[in-house]
Amino acid sequence: MELKIGLVGTGAIGRTHIDRINNSLQGARVIACSDVNINFGQEVAEKFNLAFFADAHAMISDSAIDAVIITTADPFHEEFVLASIKAGKFVFVEKPLAPEADACKRIIDAEMTSGKRLVQVGFMRRYDPGYRQLKKLIESKTYGEPLLLHCVHRNASSGDGWTTPMAVENSMIHEIDVLRWLLGEDYATAEVQFGKRTRHVDDTIQDPQILILTTKSGVRIDVESFVNCRYGYDIKCEVVCEEGTLNLAEPANAMIRTNASRVTPICADWSQRFVDAYNVEFQEWINACLAGRVDGPNSWDGYVGQVTAKAASKAREAQSVTTIEIENCPSFYQ
Ligand code: NAI
């Protein structure tokens, strides 16, 4: 059987997901799309030979569609996730599940009422081979308990429209999810400190920033976000354990000797750095849907991510340490 998918939001990442599913992966095909920008959506539909629906709700409820992918702008995720749950269809929604914790809660309520897990959130770092290796090593306990984590999330340039809160809520939300998954526990506190402001931003923006998290068992994490580092896209994670340190592997690249120097290129942006993670993420989602389930990051993970990000934003505004309050995970998501 082939999973027939309808995608809402044919922008930058939506197009790459259509391309990877229809041209690289097995077991599924995007057969329809929808976008609020009709002309643009129709162009994408024509390019990939898809049916175009001006009304996303009509596409989601169409009987030819088995599963839905949502890659619209963040504020519209909730509407289309709820519509997919109502139609009883598996739905993959790009991160964040929704920009506000209340909206995430409404999705959780609707999904629990439906009686079946249908939603997967696009936290693709869990599928990166390097992070998967780290998780195995941590869980093996060979090096003892993790005590400290030092992480880095750098982009060459933030581009237009960037704001200070986006460092946590759009960028480090990936670390918030993947580090919670690596350690297998929730966070207790958040704090945000500022570095000296780079001259490449105006004085309305704080760049770089450092997010400091502690977990319930006391692991201390620092994540540097520097979104105008100028040199490329760079992700680092070092886990300091009781009897050794674990470093996130980077994608392999040949070392070049030229002009009296040694150079090992790094990725220019996230789409290059995490291409393998996206491919594995979608192949596993397709396989699970075909087997009648979803087993990746769920609505509860999306909710916890938003609660943590909002607590960090509050901490940044107040320049103090904020406590993170998260209820017990419902058994439905365990
Ligand atoms: P984009 O702006 O390029 O594309 C968004 C598309 O959604 C546009 O074509 C827009 O017309 C359409 N749209 C907006 N509102 C709509 C509505 N109500 N109904 C139908 N279509 C609507 O944005 P981009 O970069 O593709 O991001 C899309 C989503 O993917 C965002 O939620 C973003 O956070 C997430 N994302 C996740 C990444 C990851 O690392 N996992 C990386 C990049 C984006």
Side-chain angles (χ1 to χ4, degrees):
M1 185 197 155
E2 188 179 58
L3 190 75
K4 309 268 191 319
I5 299 169
L7 177 140
V8 195
T10 55
I13 201 162
R15 293 197 302 277
T16 69
H17 291 339
I18 297 171
D19 187 41
R20 85 177 71 251
I21 290 168
N22 287 11
N23 297 318
S24 302
L25 304 184
Q26 311 294 316
R29 198 154 51 88
V30 180
I31 61 163
C33 67
S34 181
D35 198 287
V36 74
N37 182 335
I38 306 277
N39 289 339
F40 177 65
Q42 279 174 333
E43 269 176 37
V44 174
E46 222 166 275
K47 178 176 175 201
F48 290 99
N49 197 21
L50 317 177
F52 180 77
F53 285 73
D55 177 0
H57 288 274
M59 181 186 77
I60 291 168
S61 57
D62 193 287
S63 60
I65 299 295
D66 303 318
V68 179
I69 295 176
I70 300 169
T71 45
T72 64
D74 303 353
F76 307 101
H77 290 184
E78 178 190 4
E79 173 187 345
F80 299 122
V81 172
L82 290 176
S84 306
I85 293 171
K86 193 167 171 211
K89 296 186 179 172
F90 292 119
V91 53
F92 179 101
V93 55
E94 260 308 338
K95 63 87 199 161
L97 175 58
E100 301 299 331
D102 286 355
C104 297
K105 256 296 170 58
R106 287 192 288 275
I107 291 171
I108 286 170
D109 289 345
E111 192 179 25
M112 285 175 61
T113 304
S114 83
K116 184 172 180 186
R117 289 251 309 267
L118 294 169
V119 182
Q120 180 163 325
V121 184
F123 286 129
M124 81 296 180
R125 289 215 196 162
R126 297 186 186 199
Y127 300 87
D128 175 74
Y131 280 109
R132 285 189 159 186
Q133 242 176 12
L134 285 186
K135 188 165 173 65
K136 265 196 191 153
L137 290 170
I138 291 170
E139 287 178 350
S140 76
K141 306 271 187 204
T142 310
Y143 307 97
E145 289 294 319
L147 309 172
L148 298 166
L149 273 72
H150 306 297
C151 307
V152 165
H153 188 147
R154 297 189 189 130
N155 293 65
S157 111
S158 56
D160 295 339
W162 185 263
T163 59
T164 297
M166 288 169 77
V168 167
E169 294 184 19
N170 292 61
S171 186
M172 288 187 281
I173 186 82
H174 282 298
E175 271 81 11
I176 287 173
D177 178 72
V178 82
L179 303 181
R180 170 176 169 265
W181 172 77
L182 272 186
L183 296 171
E185 59 169 335
D186 282 332
Y187 301 113
T189 65
E191 184 185 355
V192 176
Q193 296 185 358
F194 300 143
K196 179 176 172 179
R197 178 183 287 124
T198 166
R199 67 187 163 84
H200 296 295
V201 294
D202 66 43
D203 59 11
T204 62
I205 292 175
Q206 285 295 342
D207 188 39
Q209 303 180 25
I210 299 174
L211 169 64
I212 299 164
L213 294 162
T214 58
T215 67
K216 290 202 161 146
S217 77
V219 180
R220 186 191 178 282
I221 299 166
D222 51 85
V223 186
E224 172 202 306
S225 163
F226 186 17
V227 294
N228 289 281
C229 78
R230 287 303 190 258
Y231 69 83
Y233 184 76
D234 209 1
I235 299 296
K236 296 178 192 296
C237 176
E238 182 184 35
V239 185
V240 180
C241 299
E242 290 165 312
E243 279 115 39
T245 67
L246 317 172
N247 278 277
L248 178 69
E250 300 192 20
N253 251 325
M255 182 193 286
I256 301 160
R257 286 175 159 79
T258 182
N259 290 329
S261 58
R262 282 191 302 254
V263 185
T264 312
I266 62 164
C267 295
D269 63 34
W270 49 268
S271 63
Q272 289 177 7
R273 170 65 180 82
F274 288 110
V275 67
D276 291 343
Y278 287 114
N279 287 338
V280 175
E281 174 187 44
F282 273 98
Q283 190 61 65
E284 290 192 9
W285 177 68
I286 291 164
N287 296 349
C289 290
L290 288 172
R293 60 169 202 278
V294 282
D295 49 19
N298 59 40
S299 304
W300 186 257
D301 298 318
Y303 167 70
V304 173
Q306 276 323 99
V307 172
T308 306
K310 292 295 175 190
S313 283
K314 206 169 131 194
R316 186 197 59 250
E317 281 160 15
Q319 283 297 288
S320 65
V321 180
T322 301
T323 305
I324 301 169
E325 307 285 355
I326 296 167
E327 314 90 279
N328 289 333
C329 178
S331 56
F332 186 80
Y333 291 107
Q334 281 167 8

